[in-house]
């Protein structure tokens, strides 16, 4: 006699709009089970019954074989009495409260769609907008909830009879896939010249002809426009750089597939997984010697930002071009990327010679995400397309809904409710008016999308940050200021689900310190509710204030003063002027300014053209095989003080003695990693804390991070580092939200 079993199953997470109900329907029917599945306010509800073995296999496969775009947070199973019903159906949603669906990030074109794309017999052969429930646009086309076609930018495209049949068929992978379309009913691709006039002929073939001729083509992607040229064409890359006013910051490169990518960079199994995953981020990887990439694509760096196609349009373009192409943001440097057609035709008209454009509107701007394999794991450096707006699971709930407004540069914001934190896509530098407008509009969009009305608004302590000013203008919510470096460490704690307390090492640029100085090289005792400053890098003046950020040689002068044995950096720059300014210049403990000093000392960078340039180029210049190290003194008093000047002086002495600059850069990195470890060891003896959390923009530096992690672990420390959100200012909003929630719980 067959033993019958019935269970009610509730699945929470990203399970709506990703083909989850058709998957459940197909699974239940394959196992001969009865019941139904429907959406509810928090996820998907399933009633299933049948033979005991079949129900148990159903529960196992439910999580094991879930659709690629789904992300299950929690499965609750409750036994019930069998009813004896037959058949399994997909029922309409039964809302019992306000809708709280989780919108999926945009996903790379799946293998099934790519097979159809390449099949001459398929009705979607060569169609640039092919998609299904397992891939395609999501976040960037959603206008509101529930996630149905009328509330997406596909609303203007009525489905043809064939697409409608697929859309309504529970057994089809396009069932309820809102962007479903085909050449008969979907978006249309066009090629326009710089004046906006449509060009005749096949748009993709025409765009490739222009690319091969060295022209710049603007390409409309999922979250905005890109600018493209062949990656090996030096003249075209230099032309693009000049027109875009992007003097030296590296461009990203898109390769057609892994085989083509492996001719450009060192790609191990881990990197291959990042490149081919559904998020398809830009992956920073070591460039191969002799890689066919123009010098102007990524100057002064041994790495390359590499990605693979994530839309059918990209696949078609690269198949026709038959070589990698530069694919960089469609903007003038310092501005946000263009994502609306008319705006792109206006703002990019002086850059692009042609526009490969389509008529599916983009509702939300989203840059490409950037990740980097470091210390045996991946670190997200820019979290945007492919990741946002999917929630980060929080180990402890927020008692009240929180909006955290983040920092000012590399800006993100965060909404937290319950155990979920929604970190926005990368927004950028809020000093740009258009970026600030995008920041404000995106906050409103997220609040509406996820049904969250903030009751607590967290912000940075810096009164001049535009994110702080925006927080101050929000009425009806409790304001909470969070110190910048506490937010960094709290972000790392939240990223790792750790409450603290820990020794927090925050190495970054500049943050507002409660003592009125500019912090940036901090040793903290921190948990999610509070922090205590235990130590810092020795403070030095910033000659000329903000001018010292733009001109790193000023920091060399601040660190060395008159003690410069005939160094070239002193001859190249008005050294005496900087020293005269020093007494009236703000004091800082910034680790970034320490890196700046060494970069200018070694002749790598006297002036910068983009944020963090000197720091990045110093790492790229360093010999990773160098084992020598410089020693920095650590003094103990009321606060531990790490003497960064010792590292600069040691580097200057080696330079004067004729030591190779690559070796000097390597020894500097090793010296700082060693000094951080010794400082943590001294603080462990004073506090008893044995866990260290590493945060701040300097830990985007693989050489520093890996050297520090290795030494700390060898010294017996448990080390926490960032994985899901950036260690830089892009992660600050999560830290602010975590602090606000923790203080609310206290």
């Amino acid at each position: 006699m067959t033993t019958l079993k019935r269970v009610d199953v509730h699945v929470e997470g990203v399970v709506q709009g990703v083909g989850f109900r058709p998957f459940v329907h197909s699974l239940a029917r394959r196992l001969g089970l009865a019941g139904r599945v429907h959406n509810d306010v928090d996820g998907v509800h399933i009633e299933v019954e049948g033979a005991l073995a079949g129900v148990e296999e159903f529960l196992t496969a439910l999580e094991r074989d879930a659709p690629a775009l789904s992300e299950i947070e929690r499965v609750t199973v409750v036994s019930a009495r069998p009813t004896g019903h037959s058949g399994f159906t997909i029922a309409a949603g039964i809302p019992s409260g306000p809708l709280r669906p989780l919108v999926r990030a945009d996903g790379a074109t799946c293998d099934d769609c790519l097979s159809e794309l390449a099949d001459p017999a398929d009705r979607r052969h060569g169609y640039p907008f092919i998609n299904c429930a397992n891939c395609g646009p999501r976040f960037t086309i959603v206008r509101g909830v529930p996630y149905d076609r009328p509330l997406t930018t596909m609303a203007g495209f009525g489905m043809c009879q064939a697409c409608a049949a697929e859309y309504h068929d529970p057994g089809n992978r396009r069932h309820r896939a809102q962007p479903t379309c085909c050449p008969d009913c979907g978006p249309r691709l066009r090629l326009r010249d710089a004046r906006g006039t449509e060009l005749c002929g096949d748009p993709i073939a025409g765009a490739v002809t222009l690319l091969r001729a060295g022209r710049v083509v603007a390409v409309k992607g999922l979250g905005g426009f890109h600018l493209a040229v062949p990656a090996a064409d030096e003249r075209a890359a230099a032309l693009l750089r000049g027109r875009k006013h992007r003097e030296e910051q590296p461009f990203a490169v898109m390769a057609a597939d892994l085989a083509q990518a492996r001719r450009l960079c060192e790609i191990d199994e881990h990197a291959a997984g990042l490149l081919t995953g559904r998020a398809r981020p830009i992956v920073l990887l070591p460039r191969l010697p002799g890689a066919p990439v123009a010098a102007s694509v990524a100057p002064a760096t041994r790495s390359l930002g590499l990605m693979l196609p994530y839309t059918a349009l990209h696949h078609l373009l690269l198949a026709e071009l038959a070589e990698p192409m530069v694919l960089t943001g469609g903007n003038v440097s310092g501005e946000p990327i263009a994502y609306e057609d008319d705006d792109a035709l206006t703002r990019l008209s002086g850059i692009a010679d042609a526009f490969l454009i389509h008529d599916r509107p983009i509702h939300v701007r989203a840059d490409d995400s950037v990740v980097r394999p470091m210390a045996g794991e991946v670190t997200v450096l820019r979290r945007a397309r492919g990741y946002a707006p999917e929630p980060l699971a929080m180990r402890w709930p927020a008692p009240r809904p929180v909006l955290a407004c983040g920092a000012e540069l590399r800006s993100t914001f965060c909404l937290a409710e319950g155990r979920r934190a929604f970190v926005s896509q990368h927004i950028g530098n809020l000093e740009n008016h258009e970026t600030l407008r995008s920041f404000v509009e995106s906050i409103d969009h997220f609040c509406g999308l996820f049904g969250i009305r903030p009751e607590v608004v967290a912000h940075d302590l810096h009164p001049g940050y535009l994110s702080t000013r925006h927080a101050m203008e929000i009425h009806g919510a409790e304001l909470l200021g969070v110190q910048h470096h506490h937010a960094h460490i709290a972000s790392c704690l939240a990223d790792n689900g750790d409450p603290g307390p820990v020794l927090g090492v925050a190495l970054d640029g500049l943050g507002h310190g409660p003592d009125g100085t500019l912090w940036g090289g901090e040793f903290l005792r921190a948990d999610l509710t509070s922090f205590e400053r235990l130590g810092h890098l020795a403070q030095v003046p910033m000659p000329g204030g903000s001018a010292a950020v733009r001109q790193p040689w000023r920091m060399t002068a601040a660190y060395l003063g008159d003690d410069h044995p005939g160094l070239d950096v002193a001859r190249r720059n008005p050294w005496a002027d900087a020293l005269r300014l020093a007494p009236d210049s703000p004091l800082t403990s910034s680790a970034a300014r320490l890196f700046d000093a060494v970069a200018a000392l070694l002749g790598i960078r006297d002036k910068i053209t983009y944020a963090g340039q000197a720091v990045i180029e110093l790492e790229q210049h360093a010999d990773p095989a160098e084992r020598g190290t410089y020693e920095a003194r650590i003094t103990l008093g009321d606060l531990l003080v790490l003497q960064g000047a010792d590292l600069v002086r040691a580097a200057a002495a080696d330079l004067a003695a004729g030591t190779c600059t690559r070796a000097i850069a390597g020894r500097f990195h090793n010296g700082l990693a060693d000094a951080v470890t010794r400082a943590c060891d001294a603080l462990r003896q004073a506090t008893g804390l044995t866990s260290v959390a590493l945060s701040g923009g300097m830990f985007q530096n693989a050489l520093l991070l890996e050297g520090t992690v290795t030494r700390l672990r060898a010294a017996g420390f448990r080390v926490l580092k960032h994985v899901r959100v950036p260690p830089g200012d892009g992660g600050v909003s999560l830290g602010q939200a975590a602090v606000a929630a923790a203080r609310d719980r206290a």
Side-chain angles (χ1 to χ4, degrees), residues 9-45:
V9 184
H10 191 236
V11 186
E12 297 174 71
V14 184
V15 289
Q16 295 186 21
V18 295
F20 201 87
R21 289 180 300 160
F23 156 71
V24 170
H25 177 270
S26 176
L27 176 62
R29 294 188 64 176
R30 177 170 61 82
L31 295 172
L33 303 176
R36 66 174 184 165
V37 58
H38 63 81
N39 288 339
D40 64 16
V41 294
D42 291 316
V44 168
H45 187 80

Side-chain angles (χ1 to χ4, degrees), residues 660-745:
C660 169
T661 56
R662 294 189 181 277
I664 295 172
R667 292 172 189 176
F668 166 75
H669 280 82
N670 294 340
L672 184 56
D674 176 72
V676 166
T677 303
R678 288 188 290 112
C680 288
D681 186 54
L683 294 173
R684 173 171 55 185
Q685 296 177 43
T687 64
L689 295 174
T690 58
S691 294
V692 178
L694 305 176
S695 192
M698 296 304 99
F699 287 116
Q700 295 180 163
N701 177 321
L703 200 55
L704 178 64
L705 178 70
E706 291 167 357
T708 304
V709 169
T710 298
R711 287 167 172 80
L712 285 169
R713 286 176 175 165
F717 285 100
R718 172 173 166 264
V719 182
L720 306 177
K721 56 186 187 302
H722 285 269
V723 176
R724 300 182 296 170
V725 296
D729 280 5
V732 161
S733 64
L734 175 64
Q736 292 172 346
V739 171
R743 290 182 182 171
D744 227 9
R745 290 191 301 269

